[in-house]
Amino acid sequence: MKKIIACLLGLFATTSHATNGINLIGFGAESTLMAGADVAVARDSSALNTNPAGLAQIDNKHFDVYGSLLRITDLSHKDQFGNDRHASNRYTGLGGMGYAQKLQNTPCTAGLGLFAQGGSGGVFENLNTAFGTRDEYSGLFAVAKVTTGLGCKVNDKWSVGGSFGLVYAQAEQKIFPNTSVPPDFAGISIKGADSLRTSFKLGIQYQATPQLTLAAAYTGKTELPLSGGQLKLNMTGAGLGVVKYRDVKLNGLALPEEIAVGAAYQMNERLLLSLKINWINWSDAMRSNVLIARKPDNAALPDILNTAAMDWNNQLVYALGMAYRYNDKLTWYAGYNYGKNPIPKNNSNPVVAGIFDHHLTFGGSYQLSSEWLMFAGIEYDFRKKVNYSNSDLPFADNAQLRNEAVWLHVMLSRRW
């Protein structure tokens, strides 16, 4: 059963260059096009992943399927060995879907959804190394979630909800795998490591006035210890060939604990404004990355134990969004999202490029018929540059990471 669930979620675990750390700024089109200012809006099936109390606003049936295409306009690594190279993975696609239905003769709505949750990744080919070779440095980390939840109206003002999910993560990494210069360096390749863990989210919404909605949501930490992979250690320079380790674990990665509060205000019959402040506990989720490799196929080699510091900072994310109903068919959306880069300067890594601070979104929805609704829009992640010296990486001092990206978001919804 675990393998079946992992295979299903693996379809949605496409590596993305997430934008609030390793988190996406929003889930589903309306959430994203309002730049993540969603906790007090949350009125489609993506409420499962933003604020499950919002499910209670659905009084019929909703089905939503969405997709996003990421175009990396500048994910580049520069160092003192003459490298100034753009990652080769310039395009990434991700998606999700959800279904929610009002339960008859109850004040509750239930839902089920699949979501690409976040991740990071970069593939840098043909880099000059300190050992006189040209080789690949890459890392891909992807997270997806299947979740079910329930949102209920307590009375005319209060709604509560909760969702429970299974989170699947997978990772692979290459650190100059074709380079072997004993005793200084042996290239590494890791693949096949994954994890399946549970998660939960709780939420409330309060209708303070007919125009003003207040809301809050809590997300529990989900640890993601990766196992089941294989590591290849390049020992050809020592005459030992490529040694395979059959028991590999990567510990220390997690989805963080989050506390979000927000408000939505219906200014008039056309204009809705929404605000969210989200505290993300990265300092607990991303402290260190521990690699453990055992059972080499050459008994002369020892087990591998390596710890790399991450020490991420906690992050406060501020999101402001608007929805303007232009007419009975067309609604415009826009939003701005700010969260200071949580990755310490000297723990930066070109394949964990969630360094963005500023994000801008714009788009719209169009009522195709009485049942069908189409959303489309763009997200721009403003260019960010970090100069760093990370002693855990093979780049020596004075490396540079640059990142800039544009997203296309679309969603098709049926409501009946």
Side-chain angles (χ1 to χ4, degrees):
M1 184 65 180
K2 179 180 177 180
K3 290 184 177 180
I4 295 174
I5 295 172
C7 288
L8 175 63
L9 285 170
L11 298 174
F12 291 83
T14 303
T15 302
S16 62
H17 296 260
T19 49
N20 291 146
I22 63 169
N23 286 350
L24 299 171
I25 67 169
F27 299 94
E30 185 171 63
S31 164
T32 303
L33 296 181
M34 296 181 75
D38 48 28
V39 70
V41 180
R43 53 191 178 186
D44 58 29
S45 63
S46 66
L48 288 160
N49 218 26
T50 58
N51 183 357
L55 290 169
Q57 298 186 72
I58 299 174
D59 57 7
N60 45 25
K61 300 176 183 178
H62 275 205
F63 174 72
D64 306 294
V65 57
Y66 72 91
S68 300
L69 178 66
L70 166 65
R71 171 63 165 94
I72 304 168
T73 52
D74 186 17
L75 176 58
S76 299
H77 165 76
K78 183 178 180 181
D79 62 34
Q80 64 180 2
F81 302 116
N83 294 303
D84 191 355
R85 187 169 294 275
H86 196 290
S88 61
N89 54 326
R90 294 175 181 264
Y91 291 92
T92 300
L94 57 88
M97 63 179 67
Y99 175 78
Q101 179 175 337
K102 178 72 179 296
L103 301 179
Q104 289 186 356
N105 303 316
T106 75
C108 300
T109 299
L112 176 67
L114 285 165
F115 299 94
Q117 191 70 22
S120 63
V123 178
F124 296 90
E125 299 174 329
N126 297 314
L127 292 181
N128 298 319
T129 77
F131 314 102
T133 63
R134 295 178 68 86
D135 212 335
E136 177 179 334
Y137 183 84
S138 63
L140 301 172
F141 178 58
V143 187
K145 178 195 288 187
V146 57
T147 185
T148 184
L150 190 70
C152 299
K153 289 186 177 180
V154 178
N155 52 43
D156 290 341
K157 289 185 175 293
W158 288 95
S159 297
V160 298
S163 60
F164 175 83
L166 291 173
V167 176
Y168 175 75
Q170 61 184 22
E172 60 182 66
Q173 188 170 21
K174 293 181 179 178
I175 305 175
F176 301 156
N178 299 313
T179 300
S180 180
V181 184
D184 298 320
F185 185 83
I188 288 177
S189 174
I190 302 171
K191 64 185 301 183
D194 61 5
S195 178
L196 185 64
R197 289 294 186 272
T198 59
S199 69
F200 74 94
K201 182 184 286 283
L202 303 173
I204 58 172
Q205 287 186 339
Y206 174 65
Q207 194 72 41
T209 72
Q211 293 79 32
L212 177 64
T213 302
L214 305 177
Y218 175 78
T219 305
K221 175 185 176 183
T222 301
E223 295 186 357
L224 298 171
L226 303 165
S227 61
Q230 182 183 87
L231 181 148
K232 294 181 179 179
L233 183 67
N234 190 341
M235 297 295 293
T236 55
L240 300 176
V242 176
V243 179
K244 296 180 181 179
Y245 287 75
R246 299 183 299 278
D247 181 10
V248 178
K249 296 180 180 179
L250 290 165
N251 296 328
L253 300 176
L255 293 180
E257 174 188 35
E258 300 181 48
I259 299 175
V261 296
Y265 189 73
Q266 191 73 49
M267 297 285 292
N268 51 51
E269 64 177 10
R270 292 184 181 273
L271 180 61
L272 172 68
L273 297 179
S274 184
L275 169 71
K276 182 178 80 172
I277 301 173
N278 193 26
W279 174 74
I280 307 178
N281 191 3
W282 290 120
S283 65
D284 181 52
M286 294 293 194
R287 288 178 290 183
S288 62
N289 186 11
V290 181
L291 168 63
I292 304 169
R294 299 188 179 98
K295 299 181 180 179
D297 59 13
N298 186 325
L301 291 179
D303 293 343
I304 296 173
L305 174 61
N306 183 71
T307 301
M310 292 188 287
D311 296 326
W312 285 26
N313 300 312
N314 291 336
Q315 189 178 39
L316 271 178
V317 176
Y318 303 89
L320 178 65
M322 58 147 280
Y324 180 76
R325 189 169 62 85
Y326 181 75
N327 56 37
D328 290 342
K329 289 185 176 292
L330 178 64
T331 299
W332 295 112
Y333 295 93
Y336 169 71
N337 179 294
Y338 171 79
K340 184 179 179 181
N341 169 25
I343 305 173
K345 180 178 179 180
N346 287 333
N347 289 341
S348 296
N349 187 322
V351 300
V352 185
I355 61 174
F356 295 116
D357 294 331
H358 304 275
H359 323 274
L360 195 64
T361 61
F362 178 77
S365 66
Y366 188 78
Q367 192 77 43
L368 299 173
S369 69
S370 60
E371 293 185 349
W372 292 97
L373 187 64
M374 171 68 79
F375 294 79
I378 58 172
E379 171 190 342
Y380 175 62
D381 302 330
F382 285 74
R383 189 173 188 265
K384 175 80 177 202
K385 179 174 69 174
V386 175
N387 295 313
Y388 66 95
S389 299
N390 188 337
S391 60
D392 290 322
L393 302 182
F395 304 129
D397 297 331
N398 303 317
Q400 183 183 95
L401 168 63
R402 303 190 304 272
N403 204 358
E404 180 186 46
V406 178
W407 300 72
L408 172 64
H409 301 287
V410 296
M411 186 168 82
L412 182 65
S413 298
R414 187 184 181 203
R415 302 175 180 183
W416 72 106

